[in-house]
Every structure is written in structure tokens, then in C-alpha cells.
Amino acid sequence: MITRMSTLFLRTLREDPADAEVPSHKLLVRAGYVRRIAPGIYSWLPLGLRVLRRVEEIVRQEMDAIGAQEIHFPALLPKEPYEATNRWTEYGPNLFRLKDRKNADYLLGPTHEELFTLTVKGEYSSYKDYPVMLYQIQTKYRDEERPRAGILRGREFVMKDSYSFDIDDEGLSESYRKHRDAYIKIFDRVGLRYVIVAATSGAMGGSASEEFLAESATGEDTFVRSTGSGFAANVEAVVTPAPPAESVEDKPAAEVHHTPSTPTIESLVDFLNANTDRKFTAADTLKNVLVKTRRPGAQEWELLAIGVPGDREVDMKRLEASLEPAEVALLEESDFAANPFLVKGYIGPKALQDNGVRYLVDPRVVTGTAWVTGADKTDHHVLDLVCGRDFTPDGTIEAAEVREGDPSPDGNGTLVAARGIEIGHIFQLGRKYSDAFGLDALGQDGKPKRITMGSYGVGVSRLVAAIAEQSHDDMGLAWPREVAPADVHVVIAGKDETVRARAEEMAAELDRAGVQVMLDDRTVSPGVKFADAELVGIPSILVVGKGLANGVVEVRDRASGERTEVAADEAVSHLIGVVRG
Ligand code: ATP
Ligand code: MG
């Protein structure tokens, strides 16, 4: 069917919407793909809905291809399953809650682990039933604190969520691998540039969780990549390469120095350079940062000291990721008062270890390295304190900030920072939900076996915006072919009846060949039509205008801007070739 712009429910805007900051938001609104209803809540107009449906279809095909089966849950859900897993409470203000006329609590589903687990429990009972993978493409609700960037971070959005159920860990690994492969196919097909990053450093075992990030300067996620290899990781997952250990034999003896008024690294380095005949930098100092941690379920907080080279800050997000599931907090004045051996600005390994404080150091602090560090006494530091000779840390920890220029953990190249949009997330859940609901299968030996699960999400509506974010220019959108709202945009550029008749003819021929055609048959100026064609972003534009008198038409490639003159008689077959690639 030919889409006629004369009747299409579409009004493009010349101005950017006032609340839009990122290109995808501006352009999707201006080109008439979406309209805002409330913060983080959008309606899809005809062109937008086509792109959304095409993305959805790609996701569906690849899920079906790995043997996942589609089902569909309601978005309106009773509270009880979410109470059983404590998520009714844990979700906090992010959950949309409501009451029915009998005053019973309901919620709008933010994600559906509970329902999938209960449903499988309801239907399956034997090990022979497993494995099984189920998915849905469904509307999710999250009362995001900062809905942002149009459909990139909505409060109502479309997600593909799937869940795998396996008898054992090997099965889970296999389901996870299948999803990972399917996601690669999906994101390749929609034409995105993306990276796969380990979500955390793998306290849970390597690749238990990975995120797919579409590269984009407007993304909310920061990651690092190597200049010399394909390495990419979340900052939280970067493992610091440790230098080789050194001999402790040939190092000078540790010596305490009076270093008046040097509570900061900068003041210390300045003092040492002015008052000794050696040259120091911040990297020669060992800064000891105190925090407190609490294990899940525990009442008591425990002190934890972290030693990092003085030229680096402790990155709280990295620290939290390293200590998870324990909580972390900074010390308060009362903590210092209760532990007088902690001399602020002059904390050293000795007092920590003498007082039984757990002391973890940056992986760069290896045996044989000599440091300038606190001497546990105001205005005093110790020089040449050698790791493995004068102090022995309790272990290492990934807590120091990661910086551009740091060596890549894989040994190739150095790290640079980049930003991305999270478009997918795959996660080996394990038995959290099967434990909560007692999801067991009767094993071959007649004994019940607890099922292990994975959960996997794709931000389907977010993908539309992420693609727009990567595929646009100053004039408008430029969709990759696989998701575009049409294949060819035919512009009737002239009032001449022969021009109009010939354009209609070509549109009909393309349509008969199975090419999706958008025909600009409006009675507006060619200038307006060209501007709209650039804005709307259909990959091929066929201009039928004055050239027709000489037997030629123009074919434009929206993405590259390339214009080709083609004989009018060959235009249709030329375009069919372009569309079919
Ligand atoms: P984010 O870190 O961006 O908040 P998340 O980690 O909470 O996302 P998941 O629960 O893993 O997201 O959901 C799976 C996928 O759903 C995400 O990878 C993302 O693509 C998409 N998604 C999550 N929240 C939103 C939202 N508010 N609007 C649009 N898409 C979203
Ligand atoms: Mg996530």
C-alpha cells in the first residue's frame, strides 16, 4: 500500500520542542513520530508506530529463533507476588501503585520475574519439562525520578523481557549464551554501533551479567574502551593490571619524618620536594581512606581502610560494586571520635593493622613497592614504607578511579572514556526467584531440584530513540533500512501534470514490487517537500521533477546525501536493487 502524504496523519514541526535536549527527542517530535502526553509518557503516531513495530518484529524473530516462546502478561498486577520477593518494598517510589474498588493493592509491572516464575511453577513439575525460555514484548511502568530525553527514559515504555528456567548451572549458561547471541543479532540488524560490557567485576562469576550499550554522547552510562583492542567495560568492572612484585631487599629503611601542616596529598608532596633532596609525585604516596561496611542482615558496621596511590581518588561506585552485597558508608565525626587511633590526614597502615581494621589496597600496591604514607601522628609521615616488608595488606580491592590513559586490562592499548545508552541487559539470576516461590522440578532420582533462572531485557521503545540518536544529521532522521517507516520516499517536485502522472506510475510500480512507498502528493512547494523528506528520514528519496523533460529523475541516499541522476525508465528497477541490497 502506498502511503500518501496528502492524507497521512502527520504534521511536521519546524521548531524543536522546548523541553527537548537530545537530538532523538527533538527529531522524533519534529518529524511527527511521537507526541508527549505527560512527563515520560508518549503516544506513537503512524510513522513512529511503524518503526516501533519493525523493531519489535526483529526482536520477536530473534527470540523465536533461539526457541523462546512468546506469552503475554497483564501490566496491572496484584501486590502479593511482589510482596513475596520483597520487591513491593524494595522498588520504593519507582513503583506505580494503585488500589481497586475493594481497596486491594495493585501495581503496574516494572518487570515480571515474579509472574513468570509463578506461571512456570503452575504448569511444570518434572525435570523432563525443562529447560524452557519464555518472553513477552510488553508495556512496563516505572515512576522514574528523572524521565528524560523523550522515549529514551520513559515512565511507560516497551520492553522485551525473557526468562530462562534450567535444571542446573550448565543449562543456565547455555540459555544465557543463546540470549547473548540473539541480542548480538538484534542489535546488528537494527544497525546500531554498540559494545557489550560486563556489568560488574564478576563477584558472581565472570559474565553473570552483561549490558549492551549503544554508543552515544548523550547516553547516561559511562564505560571505558581500549584504543588498542575491542576491550570495553563498565567502569565498575575494570580490573587494574598489577605491576610485577619487586624485591624488598634493596629498599632503604622506612623513616618517620616531621612534615608540618601536610594533611593533603598536595601539601605533602610540596613539602617533601622543598625539604628533601628527592623528587616526589602524588603517585608516590599511599592515601588511606576509611569507610564502614555492613553485611546484609548485620546490625554492626565494620571499619574498612582502603589504600590507593595518592594521585587517585576512591570511586564510590567502583567501591560499592566491589563490596556488594555489603553496604558502604563514609565515616562520621562520631566514628573518628570512637576510634582515636585514626588521625585524620595522617592515617597509616600501622595503626590500622595494630587495631585490627581490615586493610585492602589498590592492586598497584604490590610487594616491594615503597610509599610515603601517614605515620598515625599529626604532622608526621613515613617515607619508604615497603609493602610486604613494613606492612602486609589484607588483600586488594578495585576502588581507585579509572582514568583515561590507564593501560587496558587486556594488555593492548590504553583506556578512553565513552558514553552509551543501555539497550539490553542479560543476567544470570540464579535461584533468587525460584527460592522465593519454591520452584522445583522432580529430578530423575525422584528428588526435587531447585530451578535456576536467567532474565534478559531489551528496551524496545528505547531502541527507536537509540537508533535515532546514532542515525541523524542537522536536517533530520536517517533510518537504517531494516527499521525505516518506508523504503522509498517519492517526491513529486512540480505542478506539471506529466510529472505528477509519472511519479504516481513509478510509485505504483514500486508498490507492486513489494517496496514500501511514501508518496509526497501534497500541493505544497518542492522546498517544503524536500525539507520534510530530510526530516522524516526514509533511506531512499526519489525526486520526480523538471528533469523528467529530459528523461531523468534523481535518487538521493538520505544517509550519505549522495545524489544520482537516473534515466526515468530505469528508476524503478534501480530502486528495487537499492532496497533489496
Ligand atoms: P537503566 O539503568 O537505564 O535504568 P535498568 O537497568 O533499570 O535500566 P532493566 O531493568 O535491566 O533496566 O531493563 C531492561 C531494559 O529495559 C534496559 O536495558 C533498557 O534498555 C530498558 N529500559 C529500562 N528502563 C527504561 C525506561 N525508563 N525507559 C525506556 N527503556 C527502559
Ligand atoms: Mg539494567
Side-chain angles (χ1 to χ4, degrees):
M1 205 191 63
I2 298 169
T3 305
R4 291 179 178 274
M5 287 191 71
S6 57
T7 52
L8 180 63
F9 186 64
L10 171 73
R11 286 290 173 270
T12 57
L13 311 173
R14 291 287 157 253
E15 302 291 324
D16 288 334
D19 62 331
E21 281 159 16
V22 303
S24 63
H25 185 190
K26 290 177 188 169
L27 292 171
L28 289 170
V29 171
R30 275 186 50 203
Y33 282 66
V34 298
R35 288 287 178 261
R36 181 181 178 277
I37 300 295
I41 304 178
Y42 286 80
S43 48
W44 296 86
L45 301 190
L47 292 182
L49 191 60
R50 279 196 202 174
V51 177
L52 181 67
R53 292 277 183 258
R54 293 198 73 180
V55 171
E56 242 179 67
E57 201 39 44
I58 290 170
V59 173
R60 182 172 282 116
Q61 285 168 4
E62 298 302 338
M63 293 316 297
D64 290 345
I66 59 167
Q69 300 172 58
E70 185 169 7
I71 61 179
H72 199 80
F73 280 103
L76 179 61
L77 301 167
K79 166 178 76 165
E80 288 69 24
Y82 288 78
E83 266 200 322
T85 57
N86 202 35
R87 291 214 291 183
W88 175 258
T89 312
E90 269 171 19
Y91 252 105
N94 261 19
L95 201 61
F96 275 106
R97 298 158 206 266
L98 59 165
K99 288 196 184 285
D100 71 2
R101 63 171 73 208
K102 292 183 180 143
N103 211 32
D105 285 312
Y106 281 79
L107 63 116
L108 295 176
T111 170
H112 283 69
E113 279 78 0
E114 285 82 353
L115 281 297
F116 275 84
T117 311
L118 281 170
T119 300
V120 170
K121 184 178 158 84
E123 309 298 319
Y124 276 5
S125 56
S126 158
Y127 74 95
K128 289 185 205 138
D129 297 328
Y130 292 90
V132 64
M133 297 191 286
L134 301 173
Y135 76 99
Q136 63 175 342
I137 296 176
Q138 193 246 17
T139 305
K140 297 278 189 275
Y141 296 86
R142 295 182 186 177
D143 196 357
E144 299 274 359
E145 189 175 10
R146 274 181 286 280
R148 190 185 155 265
I151 53 171
L152 266 182
R153 180 173 295 285
R155 296 198 296 163
E156 174 179 297
F157 59 96
V158 181
M159 194 201 290
K160 184 286 298 176
D161 49 328
S162 45
Y163 306 86
S164 64
F165 299 84
D166 281 278
I167 291 284
D168 51 30
D169 294 350
E170 293 75 63
L172 172 56
S173 299
E174 180 63 10
S175 300
Y176 183 90
R177 192 194 54 73
K178 283 183 178 161
H179 271 88
R180 194 176 192 276
D181 291 347
Y183 279 28
I184 289 172
K185 290 202 176 114
I186 291 167
F187 300 133
D188 283 349
R189 281 181 66 183
V190 300
L192 280 171
R193 278 174 284 112
Y194 65 94
V195 293
I196 306 173
V197 299
T200 60
S201 58
M204 304 157 63
S207 59
S209 171
E210 289 168 293
E211 288 171 359
F212 291 72
L213 303 179
E215 294 167 39
S216 164
T218 56
E220 289 181 273
D221 292 65
T222 306
F223 67 99
V224 289
R225 60 172 345 137
S226 170
T227 54
S229 69
F231 175 85
N234 256 346
V235 172
E236 285 89 323
V238 172
V239 177
T240 310
E246 296 171 29
S247 159
V248 299
E249 303 290 315
D250 49 351
K251 299 280 163 10
E255 200 173 81
V256 175
H257 283 242
H258 182 222
T259 55
S261 307
T262 55
T264 64
I265 298 294
E266 201 190 358
S267 56
L268 173 64
V269 170
D270 286 349
F271 178 89
L272 293 174
N273 286 336
N275 293 282
T276 66
D277 50 14
R278 289 161 67 180
K279 198 87 194 102
F280 290 92
T281 70
D284 300 318
T285 69
L286 180 61
K287 175 162 67 180
N288 297 306
V289 177
L290 264 291
V291 294
K292 52 186 179 179
T293 68
R294 184 161 67 180
R295 288 174 206 283
Q299 292 291 316
E300 294 292 308
W301 288 91
E302 265 176 68
L303 288 180
L304 170 67
I306 295 148
V308 295
D311 61 332
R312 286 178 196 260
E313 299 300 330
V314 167
D315 176 334
M316 282 310 279
K317 280 175 86 178
R318 269 170 59 73
L319 176 62
E320 280 164 14
S322 293
L323 294 174
E324 228 193 319
E327 289 174 83
V328 198
L330 297 172
L331 294 201
E332 290 153 40
E333 279 310 320
S334 57
D335 297 308
F336 282 101
N339 296 287
F341 61 89
L342 298 175
V343 184
K344 263 200 203 168
Y346 301 90
I347 298 171
K350 186 164 184 328
L352 297 171
Q353 303 209 281
D354 287 352
N355 290 279
V357 176
R358 192 153 73 109
Y359 184 44
L360 300 176
V361 295
D362 184 80
R364 295 171 193 83
V365 184
V366 293
T367 298
T369 50
W371 301 91
V372 179
T373 189
D376 303 307
K377 194 168 147 193
T378 303
D379 292 343
H380 287 78
H381 281 92
V382 53
L383 272 61
D384 297 309
L385 198 76
V386 172
C387 180
R389 181 189 74 184
D390 305 321
F391 69 102
T392 308
D394 297 315
T396 59
I397 187 164
E398 293 294 346
E401 65 181 315
V402 173
R403 285 201 304 239
E404 295 214 6
D406 283 348
S408 175
D410 68 355
N412 299 309
T414 56
L415 298 179
V416 288
R419 295 183 80 78
I421 299 166
E422 186 188 318
I423 46 176
H425 187 183
I426 50 179
F427 188 47
Q428 299 193 16
L429 274 178
R431 298 185 174 80
K432 177 175 173 187
Y433 292 88
S434 50
D435 280 345
F437 296 108
L439 174 60
D440 290 331
L442 206 56
Q444 214 160 358
D445 55 4
K447 291 192 187 127
K449 214 160 161 16
R450 187 80 2 130
I451 295 300
T452 181
M453 292 170 56
S455 87
Y456 317 89
V458 170
V460 175
S461 51
R462 179 179 284 184
L463 266 181
V464 174
I467 296 165
E469 212 52 59
Q470 284 189 2
S471 311
H472 71 269
D473 57 24
D474 291 345
M475 291 162 314
L477 298 160
W479 295 107
R481 236 168 237 296
E482 276 248 26
V483 300
D487 301 312
V488 178
H489 191 134
V490 181
V491 175
I492 306 177
K495 290 202 190 93
D496 193 341
E497 194 40 48
T498 54
V499 167
R500 172 169 292 270
R502 192 62 195 277
E504 286 275 0
E505 225 172 82
M506 288 178 178
E509 269 178 66
L510 285 167
D511 181 53
R512 279 196 296 276
V515 173
Q516 295 252 1
V517 179
M518 172 119 124
L519 176 64
D520 198 344
D521 56 348
R522 295 175 298 171
T523 54
V524 295
S525 75
V528 168
K529 291 184 179 181
F530 292 142
D532 278 344
E534 314 266 46
L535 181 59
V536 162
I538 290 165
S540 296
I541 302 168
L542 168 63
V543 182
V544 186
K546 285 198 206 82
L548 197 61
N550 306 317
V552 292
V553 293
E554 187 181 86
V555 173
R556 299 184 183 176
D557 182 83
R558 174 62 189 93
S560 69
E562 194 191 332
R563 298 177 180 201
T564 320
E565 225 170 57
V566 183
D569 292 339
E570 282 153 29
V572 168
S573 58
H574 172 84
L575 278 165
I576 291 171
V578 171
V579 169
R580 298 201 178 139

